[in-house]
């Protein structure tokens, strides 16, 4: 006599059947989009030489240096890193609305120098069928908790198969923390200078915004952000370390590069492609950026912004705390053959080009100044506007995420 099925048995079988159906759909979608001959050959070549193909996935919303460091750590466990990026629809269904659109998130991850391949529209729940279709040996993720909309571990099947590896979570940064900085309008995140830190700007008095930074009765060890401690070790880990070749044309660009986003990425790619082979990026210090942009800018401090730029595959070298005005000595020391600026810039930052000294006067006089069309119109101000316009949704999303992690 077959055993009698209880309601819980039927519910479990129903969930399992749904999971199998979702996995089948996921495999078909992933296979269709990511099984080109070139990609398959690259993975197999690594494995044929004894290497390991790894898979990491995520939302990678407002892709920042913490995400980049996770990919760096993940790749250190193997030889070829495949990165899955979830679609907007999947993130809304399981987590809440993303800040950045999926095409922006795809391009941001593709620009990270530790990503060998990006799977667009990767399923939110990672199944063995999907990673098998991709020819992956192991799946890697941070030591934080990731659940789907029903509260289930999104890596349960991978863990059960013994194909899951963990890396330590990068402390000192999170998307939640960055959203809080934008909404609270403080300068507390600025780099500390010898003369003391800049005073705190006026804070929004909306209690719903202040709650994002207020300590909860229970605090998630994953969502809560520890203090960011800049170190030379981290800079070295992110640095490319390649010197320019004798025949390389050296391109120099400068700016704040705050909340390093796909608008910056596409500009850097275009500048390098149009004018040279070696790209140096000058990142202005916090007080310089605040002087020409005002308010609580920059949202990220100098060290955070430098790490974001260094993670970009198009960047070869970074000048930390670069001067806003470019003189002849600087051009000679760096052997610059082209100084490049984009067509897209925010009104607040335009002041530095019209107030007092023309900062590009020397490169213009020497015939080295060039303007490239900015491929994307996205700006840091636009990112912040999205946050403010949808702040209630982001607050609910972050609160829900932390509640799950505490439970």
């Amino acid at each position: 006599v077959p055993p009698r099925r209880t309601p819980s048995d039927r519910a479990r079988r129903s969930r399992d059947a749904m999971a199998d159906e979702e996995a089948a759909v996921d495999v078909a979608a992933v296979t269709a989009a990511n099984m080109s001959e070139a990609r398959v050959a690259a993975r197999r070549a690594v494995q044929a030489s004894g290497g390991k193909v790894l898979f990491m996935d995520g939302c990678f919303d407002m892709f920042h240096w913490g995400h980049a460091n996770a990919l760096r750590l993940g790749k250190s466990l193997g030889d070829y890193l495949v990165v899955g990026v979830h679609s907007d629809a999947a993130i809304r269904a399981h987590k809440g609305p993303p800040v950045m659109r999926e095409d922006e998130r795809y391009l941001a991850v593709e620009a990270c120098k530790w990503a060998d391949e990006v799977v667009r529209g990767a399923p939110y729940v990672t199944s063995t069928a999907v990673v098998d279709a991709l020819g992956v040996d192991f799946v890697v993720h941070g030591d934080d908790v990731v659940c789907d909309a029903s509260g289930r571990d999104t890596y349960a099947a991978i863990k059960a198969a013994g194909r899951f590896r963990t890396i330590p979570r990068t402390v000192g940064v999170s998307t939640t923390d960055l959203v809080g900085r934008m909404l609270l309008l403080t300068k507390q995140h600025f780099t500390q200078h010898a003369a003391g830190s800049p005073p705190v700007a006026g804070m929004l008095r909306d209690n719903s915004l202040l709650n994002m930074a207020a300590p909860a009765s229970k605090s998630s060890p994953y969502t809560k952000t520890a203090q960011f401690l800049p170190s030379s070790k981290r800079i070295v880990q992110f640095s490319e370390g390649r010197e320019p070749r004798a025949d390389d044309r050296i391109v120099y660009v400068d700016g704040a590069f705050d909340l390093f986003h796909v608008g910056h990425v596409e500009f850097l790619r275009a500048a390098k492609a149009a004018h040279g082979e070696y790209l140096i990026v000058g990142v202005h210090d916090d007080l310089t950026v605040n002087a020409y942009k005002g308010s609580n800018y920059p949202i990220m401090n100098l060290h955070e912004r430098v790490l974001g730029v260094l993670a970009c595959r198009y960047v070869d070298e970074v000048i930390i705390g670069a001067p806003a005005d470019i003189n002849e000595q600087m051009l000679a020391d760096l052997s610059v053959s082209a100084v490049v600026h984009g067509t897209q810039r925010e009104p607040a930052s335009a002041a530095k080009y019209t107030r007092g000294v023309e900062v590009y006067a020397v490169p213009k006089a020497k015939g080295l100044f060039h303007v490239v069309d900015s491929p994307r119109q996205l700006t840091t101000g636009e990112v912040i506007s999205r946050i403010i316009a949808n702040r209630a949704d982001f607050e609910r999303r972050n609160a829900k995420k932390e509640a799950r992690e505490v439970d």
Side-chain angles (χ1 to χ4, degrees), residues 13-97:
R13 287 174 180 271
S14 176
R15 288 197 302 268
D16 291 343
M18 289 175 61
D20 290 341
E21 183 178 342
E22 289 175 2
V25 172
D26 290 340
V27 171
V30 168
T31 300
N34 300 282
M35 297 301 285
S36 67
E37 290 185 9
R39 289 189 172 193
V40 172
R43 299 170 201 149
R44 288 178 177 172
V46 168
Q47 292 167 326
S49 63
K52 297 297 182 183
V53 175
L54 307 175
F55 180 78
M56 298 181 71
D57 64 345
C59 304
F60 300 108
D61 198 14
M62 292 175 58
F63 190 84
H64 51 67
W65 67 267
H67 293 133
N69 192 51
L71 299 189
R72 181 187 68 82
L73 291 172
K75 187 169 182 178
S76 71
L77 301 181
D79 305 276
Y80 188 91
L81 181 59
V82 180
V83 184
V85 182
H86 309 316
S87 67
D88 289 349
I91 297 173
R92 288 193 191 95
H94 292 280
K95 187 176 181 180

Side-chain angles (χ1 to χ4, degrees), residues 94-273:
H94 292 280
K95 187 176 181 180
V99 178
M100 311 301 287
R101 297 191 298 268
E102 60 187 52
D103 64 309
E104 296 166 340
R105 293 183 291 106
Y106 296 153
L107 288 172
V109 178
E110 287 170 349
C112 180
K113 61 187 177 185
W114 292 292
D116 295 301
E117 181 182 322
V118 171
V119 174
R120 297 185 172 202
Y124 199 87
V125 177
T126 308
S127 67
T128 54
V130 168
V131 296
D132 284 342
L134 292 170
V136 168
D137 295 300
F138 298 107
V139 174
V140 181
H141 196 271
D143 52 11
D144 52 327
V145 179
V146 182
C147 300
D148 64 9
S150 68
R152 293 175 297 177
D153 186 344
T154 59
Y155 298 105
I158 305 299
K159 291 176 180 177
R163 297 169 66 181
F164 188 76
R165 302 290 185 271
T166 61
I167 54 172
R169 179 180 173 85
T170 300
V171 298
V173 66
S174 72
T175 301
T176 302
D177 172 53
L178 294 178
V179 169
R181 293 185 199 178
M182 286 179 253
L183 294 177
L184 291 173
L185 294 180
T186 71
K187 298 182 182 179
Q188 293 169 321
H189 55 279
F190 279 16
T191 302
Q192 302 296 307
H193 293 266
S197 61
V200 177
M203 299 173 70
L204 294 179
R205 299 304 176 188
D206 187 330
N207 289 332
S208 66
L209 302 186
L210 294 174
N211 286 339
M212 291 197 68
S217 57
K218 283 187 177 181
S219 181
S220 166
Y222 310 115
T223 301
K224 183 176 70 175
T225 302
Q227 181 183 7
F228 169 59
L229 300 175
S231 68
S232 59
K233 179 181 178 181
R234 185 72 78 204
I235 295 290
V236 170
Q237 290 170 339
F238 273 54
S239 297
E240 188 66 24
R242 181 178 84 83
E243 294 292 332
R245 294 184 292 265
D247 58 345
D248 279 348
R249 293 171 299 162
I250 297 177
V251 180
Y252 180 79
V253 304
D254 70 334
F257 296 99
D258 197 14
L259 295 176
F260 191 72
H261 52 69
V262 70
H264 298 132
V265 166
E266 291 293 271
F267 161 65
L268 295 179
R269 179 187 59 77
K272 187 174 185 178

Side-chain angles (χ1 to χ4, degrees), residues 252 254-257 281-285 302 305-306 309 318-322:
Y252 180 79
D254 70 334
F257 296 99
V281 179
V283 181
H284 301 152
D285 66 40
L302 174 62
R305 291 182 286 117
V306 165
V309 175
V318 170
I319 305 299
I320 303 172

